[in-house]
Amino acid sequence: MSVARTDPELLAVSRADAPADLLLKNARVINVFSRTIEDGDVAVFGGRIAGVGSYADAKQTVDLDGAYLAPGFIDAHMHVESTMLLPPAFVRVAAPAGTTGVVLDPHEIANVHGIPGIRLLMDQALGLPMNIMFAASSCVPSSPLETAGATLEADDLAPLFDDPRVVAMAELMNFPGVINGVPEVLEKVALGLDRALVDGHCPGLGGNALCAYTAAGISSDHESVAPDEAAEKLNRGMRLFIREGSAARNLEALIPIVTAANAARVSFCTDDRHPGDLIDEGHIDHIVRRAISLGLDPVTAIAMASLHPAEHFALRDRGAIAPGRFGDLIVFDDLDAPRPRRVYFEGTLVAEDGAMVADCPDRPVPPDFLGRSVHLPADLSPEALRVTAPAGQIRVIQMDPHQIVTGQLTSEPRVENGACVADTDRDMLKMAVIERHRGSGAVGLGFVHGFGLKSGALASTVGHDAHNLAVVGTNDADMLVAARALSEAGGGQCVVRDGRVLALLELPVAGLISTGSPADVAERQRALWSAAESLGCPHHDPFMPLSFLCLPVIPSLKLTDRGLVDVGRFEVVPLAADG
Amino acid sequence: MSVARTDPELLAVSRADAPADLLLKNARVINVFSRTIEDGDVAVFGGRIAGVGSYADAKQTVDLDGAYLAPGFIDAHMHVESTMLLPPAFVRVAAPAGTTGVVLDPHEIANVHGIPGIRLLMDQALGLPMNIMFAASSCVPSSPLETAGATLEADDLAPLFDDPRVVAMAELMNFPGVINGVPEVLEKVALGLDRALVDGHCPGLGGNALCAYTAAGISSDHESVAPDEAAEKLNRGMRLFIREGSAARNLEALIPIVTAANAARVSFCTDDRHPGDLIDEGHIDHIVRRAISLGLDPVTAIAMASLHPAEHFALRDRGAIAPGRFGDLIVFDDLDAPRPRRVYFEGTLVAEDGAMVADCPDRPVPPDFLGRSVHLPADLSPEALRVTAPAGQIRVIQMDPHQIVTGQLTSEPRVENGACVADTDRDMLKMAVIERHRGSGAVGLGFVHGFGLKSGALASTVGHDAHNLAVVGTNDADMLVAARALSEAGGGQCVVRDGRVLALLELPVAGLISTGSPADVAERQRALWSAAESLGCPHHDPFMPLSFLCLPVIPSLKLTDRGLVDVGRFEVVPLAADG
């Protein structure tokens, strides 16, 4: 489709000796190299920017009449599975928001389907009007304290790098493994360094441990929550991705550390972005607007959303409005709140006034990947959820609806017939994580405070990162109904009361992703939330915290199919508080 | 010698679980990422920086007692031939000045010996205590208006990139060829883009022509002399190398455009640096000091001399004091005038108090490359220098001793016996450029104003870029003696009066490079200058302008073995001013 940089026809257009395909006249061009604004024209030919300055001749001319023209936005790190959308559907909602590039770490689907799952998303991303890049998922499973559907070693990951869209080894979440020099982990780091680069994930890391992590070659981090933490990582040579997603939002805390001198080493990412937020707030454009509203210079914010991630990933053909780079461009009117009015990808208009205008159809998903990922034991019975009461107090997970970290309580259990049961009066609900990849019958059981349900149950096959089936409820019967409903649906999220499914979001692809449109998914999510509210849950979206209650690499008390995990001790612990 | 980033022993030192090889305690660490200064210790192991922060245990500990510690300096672009030193000798003078990395474009020797000449310098650079990188010489010869010893096409250059030290296609001086899409030129650009990157050279270029040059993928320039020119190049996406060498000095003019926002895209280079200047003033350290004295923030100046060129050339293991990067470090005391007191290369002390302490011996030069490059016709006679007087006025080159550009005069010749001859009263000397690679007998003849000789002649086998034998004099006899003296010496520079060689600098390697020490070369240069002064020459160093009088890609009137070249018209022109 697009011409090479050394195409003589491109150079003829640059010289103004031949007409451009597209000429954007009278723009205020955001120059991310010098972080200035220039008045001028931008000529595009064969998908690339031929020239910036003064041009007159083109097949199509658009007079921007003083509107701003900026490079398209790039998300430096995200898991597209969190949008619950397949790549074409994701593009249909993200492209109108000005996103022209994204680095996807497909580690959610990799935990379910392994390399074939990654390949599925890579196939789905082919030929879309967005530069969809991938990072090779480095930590599948996230820890040995859970049962995932696949285990990926360096040898499994290596062939991925033969695809030029694979631009990094994805976030090396096993930072203790790097720091302590675990051979299998270092093998993945060495592979990433050899083939591309290695992105990081090291919440709270500092001091000598951070030195070890960076010495090994880990070159970015997106987990900083505090300014000092972020500043130290910058000083040790890491590029910083400031994360502002749906679950974790770090922008406000970190914006104060950005200076004119260090901004070149700072980018934005969403990490996890939910479909409703994508539709309602936007994508990287939302972060840019919010950063500006928090006081960041607008041109610097745009550079952090374009050139800076391009430099990190060595994308010399993207990330700026400059001759030879691809024509990934956005038009907007208000520098204090850039809202993309037109979005061009490789010189073609793809979105206008928030709506897709380019073709971006769904692609069929091979039947092997549809509704085939939830395997519960055939004989799953109430007995599987029974918790024999221990002597004394029990550990209880303290859920915070706005955080992915949890607290840890100890409490007297409510006991009936020798078994611990949910106690709605004290908001102490039962939770189960049921292994769903192999139908092994492994079930982790525990209790959680914070959901506020007065009746019924919630269940989800989205449960970071192993994505086993997580269910929380006021009674075992509804919990079982919810688990079976998801099994029948082939994956998803549901709300059950009195044996009846009140709402169901089907996620047939790996139990994580819908085959529906962004609007469908968002509508079904709202129905879920509304149903959860009818059970007494006071939170906007209880499925977000539910999905992170399983993640045994984020403090402090979590539940996997192996049981309760004390993340600080990095081991499975008994229910009994004194165990 | 050095360990890999993923070496478990390195990580153990980072964690402070094992002793460092070298511990630099109590440093003021120049942090080029955030452009700040941190107090701390730097631990080095296996040639790499293991950690920055707080460390205690090491085989060798050096208390810096609050001295500054910065990354070693990198010269982004230079022709080592201009130092007249072989790489080991160059390192012995540049390393004590704090240079730990350099990108050499060996295009001078390539014009004489082609690829074997490049390979000679690459061999000479092996194993030295400096990260000597190379750029593949893209424009040999510089133009079709001169006769060089070799012609290099893309196919000749391609194998060079198999050596990991080759980090770029060197300055694409044939910018009209790029802009106008000349296939053989674009082939070289495409090769460079495919294998690394392509550095540029585009004096005065702007507007649509600059767009074409950058669209093709040329990513840097070091030829800017004016702030507006440099700013435009930055805005079109080029990285800027601010050049401050011996011949061309652009620092003072360009420093004002450097801002905190754009500095990440600006580096320093010397391009051409003469041995005496290296010894007397320094290398990149001299530019850093001068930039600071001109008002640039010291830490920014250091970043422009370290991290920024490292980023341009994708050297992720160099250019900063950060875990995992090589221990290329300098110690200095005065932030306002950094003068390297200690220089470490890959963790080893290589220079102290301006003197080399590491071993850096000369390497033998294969006999084929010694004194074999000057081939004059056996029968070179006074007749070869005779200029038959044309009717009317003649073109005269106007030499400026401080510029590599020349002016163009027209003047009445002094005529004797039907031939134009030198006229010392009007400082109109005769000049000849004698083809010396093939002994073809081609001689270009002309007249030059500005040398001020009252007697004798100067000659040089250094004559950019084809390096034919250039001689300027007050009489043909001395000019012939000078030419023959250089032929006998196998290359060099000399001063002759009354048939006697007053001073001679032998440059037996390609007629460009001495096999002597830096001090020897500098001393012999001073002897040359002093001898030239005795002929009446008022200039400090007349050989510098003499060597650039031949360069037909720099305006405006030049002399090659083909004759007078009007660079604006890019063609050979007759001596007669009306021709």
Side-chain angles (χ1 to χ4, degrees), chain B residues 43-59:
Chain B
V44 179
F45 177 83
R48 292 186 190 262
I49 296 162
V52 180
S54 183
Y55 287 89
D57 190 14
K59 287 169 202 147

Side-chain angles (χ1 to χ4, degrees), chain A residues 378-466:
Chain A
D379 58 348
L380 190 70
S381 68
E383 193 54 33
L385 302 186
R386 182 184 159 89
V387 179
T388 303
Q393 294 199 316
I394 60 169
R395 299 172 204 272
V396 175
I397 299 169
Q398 166 71 61
M399 183 275 271
D400 178 328
H402 305 299
Q403 299 284 347
I404 64 176
V405 299
T406 62
Q408 182 162 181
L409 308 171
T410 55
S411 196
E412 201 65 44
R414 179 174 163 200
V415 178
E416 286 181 359
N417 302 325
C420 296
V421 297
D423 181 350
T424 53
D425 292 344
R426 292 187 291 153
D427 186 23
M428 218 165 80
L429 305 186
K430 187 186 275 187
M431 180 170 167
V433 176
I434 308 169
E435 194 280 317
R436 61 114 164 163
H437 302 295
R438 299 175 175 81
S440 67
V443 180
L445 293 164
F447 288 83
V448 57
H449 178 270
F451 278 96
L453 301 190
K454 296 299 178 192
S455 61
L458 314 177
S460 172
T461 52
V462 180
H464 296 283
D465 276 348

Side-chain angles (χ1 to χ4, degrees), chain B residues 452-469:
Chain B
L453 301 190
K454 297 299 179 193
S455 61
L458 315 176
S460 170
T461 53
V462 180
H464 297 282
D465 276 348
H467 301 295
N468 286 307
L469 196 158

Side-chain angles (χ1 to χ4, degrees), chain A residues 156-177:
Chain A
D156 302 312
L157 297 169
L160 293 176
F161 288 93
D162 294 339
D163 189 310
R165 294 176 295 165
V166 176
V167 296
M169 181 67 79
E171 51 174 338
L172 223 309
M173 297 189 294
N174 188 354
F175 58 90

Side-chain angles (χ1 to χ4, degrees), chain A residues 5 11 14-15 31 33-34 38 55 178-179 193 196 208 211 214-215 217 235-236 239 260 265 311 316 323, chain B residues 5-6 11 14-15 31 33-34 38 178-179 193 196 208 211 214-215 217 235-236 239 260 265 311 316 323:
Chain A
R5 272 177 174 260
L11 307 185
S14 300
R15 294 192 308 268
N31 192 298
F33 303 112
S34 54
E38 297 179 277
Y55 287 89
V178 175
I179 294 165
L193 291 177
N208 297 342
C211 286
T214 52
N235 279 349
R236 293 301 153 263
R239 285 181 186 260
R265 307 194 64 80
E311 293 268 313
R316 62 184 172 197
Chain B
R5 272 178 175 259
T6 49
L11 307 186
S14 300
R15 295 192 309 266
N31 192 298
F33 302 113
S34 54
E38 297 179 277
V178 175
I179 294 165
L193 291 177
N208 297 341
C211 286
T214 51
N235 278 349
R236 292 302 153 264
R239 286 181 187 260
R265 305 194 64 81
E311 293 267 315
R316 61 184 173 197

